[in-house]
Amino acid sequence: MKKILFAASEVHPLIKTGGLADVAGSLPRALMELSQEIRVILPNYQSINKTEEVRFICSVRVNNQDVNILETQLPDSDVIVWLVDCPELFDVPGNPYLDESGNPWHNIADRFTLFCRIIVEVAMNRAHLNWQPDVVHCNDWQTGLVPSLLSIESNTPSTVFTIHNMAYQGVFPESTFYDLNLPRELWHPSGVEFHQMLSFLKSGLSYADRITTVSPTYALEIQTPEFGCGLEGVLSHKHEILSGIINGLDLEQWNPETDTSISEPYNADTLSSKIINKTSLQARSSLPVNKSVPVFGLISRLVDQKGIDLVIDCLDEMVNMSLQFILLGSGDKSVEQKLMNFARLYPKKISITIGYDEALAHQIEAGVDIFLMPSRFEPCGLNQMYSQRYGTIPIVRETGGLADTIKDALPKSINNNTATGISFKASNSGALLEAIKRAMLLYNDKKTWKKIQITAMEKDFSWKNSAEQYLALYQEI
Ligand code: ADP
Ligand code: GLC
């Protein structure tokens, strides 16, 4: 049995901006099911959704600052969660990364340095918790200082650093390094220094005992200049301790048979009930209610990574085709504007919701026929897996986790019952449009379509296999 301290900046259902929260909310549960002792640690943001009891457990002093640690649980589980309570930094409106006006926190380096320092105190059993982990599992740049700060201690736990996205690195000017009062010995090119800047991500990669990322394909891609975001050299140098482990899903939360957010539950045997979700989604989206028209869906952060510009480029043609399109997302303001304009011009074809809405995300997964995910890069991606589970056929670009979780519907894969989606290679709108047309043709072949839906719905997306791979890694170090 291993004692694992699992550190992340967002954990569903306490706080979520993207897939990291889904993983941090479900992998610890899966590890607990494998009889491991696990504690999750995250900052006590103002916007945390607290449904369980929260109690004060201790106070820790770091860098001349007193910080409280509160204890709660992941809802419907025995997984203990520790909240790092520093009101000055975290009891403020906004999300983990952006302030109330949508700008990156001016003090974001202070916020996550404090978080890392507390993780280190807990890891070293200096926080009066009487608990010392064997492994600290860090996730993304917000926890990147943990492995380097532990490197200057002795008798430390081992560290695993998981990359969920190379595009976010936590890079700051050299002066920030001194302002943060970080140990001087960490400032060197195989430490936290990245082109004379402080890089939290590089700090994690430089000092962790094992590096993982969230799909085998992305683990290879990030060793190349196209996907490595400047750190491909470090990663290929460390390829022996780098591996890719695909994310699993919270199968209770994303289950069309028991989903309380959708109009009508269904499973692979009662697939015909999916149509009820389609018509109620059309009605809710103020689109004409029409059972036979193919409905395309998209749920995403509206950022460059997700290839939304390719979708926007396709919309001019899509509005002349017999289809509907329903999108839920938020992010880049100019992208939001362009999408809203299309919805205004074509209210009978396009429905755009700008914002974050979990219930609607479930309704879209259940109600649409085809899901668009034309990402430029995608470390793992969760919506293509949610889609498959809901019998919604994803169209994806063949990259990262999308390449690892979708089998393109070609004559051979259709015949041998392995096809679960449609994928395309080139990152341009022509290739996406071709995939959309291919999906429309397949959609009209009802028998084949149903076969693909059932293969997709029956695929195993549970955490068990991946959690076992993490456990093997913890045991190895
Ligand atoms: P990423 O983490 O890069 O955003 P993922 O596919 O891993 O991409 O995970 C995104 C998660 O966030 C999914 O659970 C998705 O349903 C959810 N999500 C994204 N945007 C929204 C939104 N506007 N409203 C509700 N859920 C959203
Ligand atoms: C990141 C990636 C996404 C991945 C998620 C969870 O946000 O962009 O591909 O699924 O992390 O690992």
Side-chain angles (χ1 to χ4, degrees):
M1 199 261 302
K2 288 279 173 192
K3 289 185 181 163
I4 306 144
L5 180 63
F6 192 94
S9 57
E10 47 182 285
V11 179
H12 183 76
L14 297 171
I15 184 132
K16 165 165 164 178
T17 73
L20 169 60
D22 297 58
V23 173
S26 53
L27 172 56
R29 290 175 205 256
L31 287 164
M32 195 168 203
E33 272 162 34
L34 297 178
S35 309
Q36 306 307 302
E37 195 174 311
I38 185 144
R39 303 283 184 272
V40 175
I41 188 164
L42 82 156
N44 187 29
Y45 309 108
Q46 189 179 76
S47 44
I48 273 188
N49 181 12
K50 293 187 185 105
T51 52
E52 309 299 300
E53 188 203 341
V54 179
R55 53 197 175 276
F56 166 86
I57 45 165
C58 66
S59 182
V60 196
R61 190 168 179 80
V62 286
N63 204 31
N64 294 322
Q65 209 168 358
D66 287 312
V67 176
N68 293 332
I69 298 182
L70 313 178
E71 184 173 293
T72 183
Q73 262 156 270
L74 281 186
D76 305 319
S77 85
D78 293 326
V79 177
I80 292 177
V81 177
W82 286 332
L83 300 170
V84 175
D85 187 40
C86 177
E88 180 192 327
L89 291 176
F90 300 125
D91 192 11
V92 277
N95 85 15
Y97 323 114
L98 307 175
D99 65 21
E100 221 180 352
S101 342
N103 298 313
W105 283 108
H106 67 280
N107 59 352
I108 195 157
D110 299 280
R111 285 163 69 90
F112 290 115
T113 300
L114 178 100
F115 180 43
C116 290
R117 287 191 201 273
I118 297 293
I119 298 168
V120 168
E121 291 310 296
V122 174
M124 295 305 295
N125 198 11
R126 289 194 298 241
H128 325 291
L129 292 168
N130 194 21
W131 187 83
Q132 174 141 39
D134 304 305
V135 180
V136 185
H137 189 152
C138 301
N139 293 276
D140 273 355
W141 76 262
Q142 298 83 5
T143 57
L145 293 181
V146 174
S148 59
L149 291 172
L150 282 175
S151 75
I152 54 174
E153 305 267 359
S154 39
N155 297 322
T156 61
S158 310
T159 50
V160 173
F161 187 87
T162 297
I163 304 163
H164 295 263
N165 199 328
M166 287 298 297
Y168 303 98
Q169 302 195 349
V171 173
F172 303 96
E174 183 176 356
S175 57
T176 306
F177 176 80
Y178 296 101
D179 296 342
L180 291 170
N181 198 19
L182 289 168
R184 301 288 156 109
E185 62 261 49
L186 300 177
W187 186 263
H188 54 89
S190 29
V192 305
E193 182 189 344
F194 180 56
H195 302 294
Q196 287 86 53
M197 308 273 276
L198 162 66
S199 166
F200 278 54
L201 178 59
K202 188 169 173 194
S203 161
L205 304 181
S206 299
Y207 293 96
D209 297 308
R210 288 290 184 280
I211 302 170
T212 72
T213 187
V214 286
S215 68
T217 296
Y218 195 60
L220 296 174
E221 287 173 341
I222 56 179
Q223 297 177 52
T224 67
E226 192 186 347
F227 297 94
C229 304
L231 287 165
E232 58 277 5
V234 177
L235 288 163
S236 50
H237 179 67
K238 292 193 172 260
H239 72 273
E240 281 178 359
I241 59 159
L242 165 67
S243 60
I245 302 177
I246 200 87
N247 290 330
L249 303 186
D250 180 336
L251 297 183
E252 276 174 32
Q253 206 209 325
W254 292 94
N255 180 355
E257 228 176 325
T258 53
D259 194 328
T260 51
S261 303
I262 66 177
S263 306
E264 183 69 24
Y266 61 99
N267 60 30
D269 297 326
T270 57
L271 193 48
S272 54
S273 301
K274 182 168 162 60
I275 199 88
I276 301 170
N277 294 295
K278 175 168 171 172
T279 50
S280 49
L281 178 68
Q282 287 172 321
R284 182 196 193 284
S285 311
S286 309
L287 292 171
V289 173
N290 176 338
K291 289 184 180 166
S292 58
V293 69
V295 182
F296 288 71
L298 197 161
I299 303 161
S300 184
R301 295 183 293 119
L302 303 176
V303 296
D304 190 56
Q305 168 188 352
K306 304 293 180 179
I308 310 294
D309 52 319
L310 306 186
V311 177
I312 292 177
D313 287 346
C314 288
L315 281 178
D316 280 322
E317 276 220 38
M318 285 170 74
V319 293
N320 295 320
M321 294 156 72
S322 169
L323 55 77
Q324 294 177 350
F325 176 54
I326 298 176
L327 177 145
L328 165 65
S330 68
D332 188 322
K333 297 293 163 222
S334 73
V335 172
E336 290 179 356
Q337 268 311 323
K338 283 183 196 157
L339 290 166
M340 292 301 288
N341 284 342
F342 268 103
R344 263 191 294 273
L345 285 171
Y346 304 98
K348 293 210 160 79
K349 295 228 151 153
I350 299 180
S351 160
I352 305 290
T353 306
I354 300 298
Y356 183 88
D357 184 337
E358 275 191 29
L360 180 55
H362 284 250
Q363 289 152 15
I364 293 177
E365 286 294 5
V368 304
D369 301 295
I370 299 157
F371 193 91
L372 292 179
M373 219 159 155
S375 308
R376 290 213 154 68
F377 66 94
E378 196 61 76
C380 177
L382 297 171
N383 282 108
Q384 83 283 8
M385 295 194 272
Y386 297 147
S387 296
Q388 288 174 80
R389 209 160 143 66
Y390 280 68
T392 294
I393 303 308
I395 297 185
V396 303
R397 195 169 94 73
E398 204 181 306
T399 182
L402 300 176
D404 292 342
T405 55
I406 298 291
K407 184 81 179 164
D408 192 17
L410 295 173
K412 188 172 164 207
S413 60
I414 293 173
N415 278 335
N416 66 18
N417 289 319
T418 53
T420 61
I422 289 165
S423 66
F424 64 98
K425 281 200 165 66
S427 187
N428 61 53
S429 54
L432 171 59
L433 195 62
E434 213 173 288
I436 290 172
K437 289 180 178 162
R438 192 146 67 86
M440 305 257 299
L441 283 176
L442 270 176
Y443 176 80
N444 287 329
D445 174 354
K446 291 294 166 225
K447 204 165 143 234
T448 305
W449 191 258
K450 188 166 177 199
K451 187 162 140 172
I452 302 172
Q453 284 181 300
I454 289 175
T455 309
M457 290 180 86
E458 287 177 344
K459 244 172 107 169
D460 178 9
F461 291 113
S462 69
W463 261 112
K464 192 169 178 295
N465 193 0
S466 302
E468 277 167 0
Q469 291 180 53
Y470 280 112
L471 185 54
L473 202 70
Y474 301 153
Q475 277 158 350
E476 188 185 302
I477 44 181

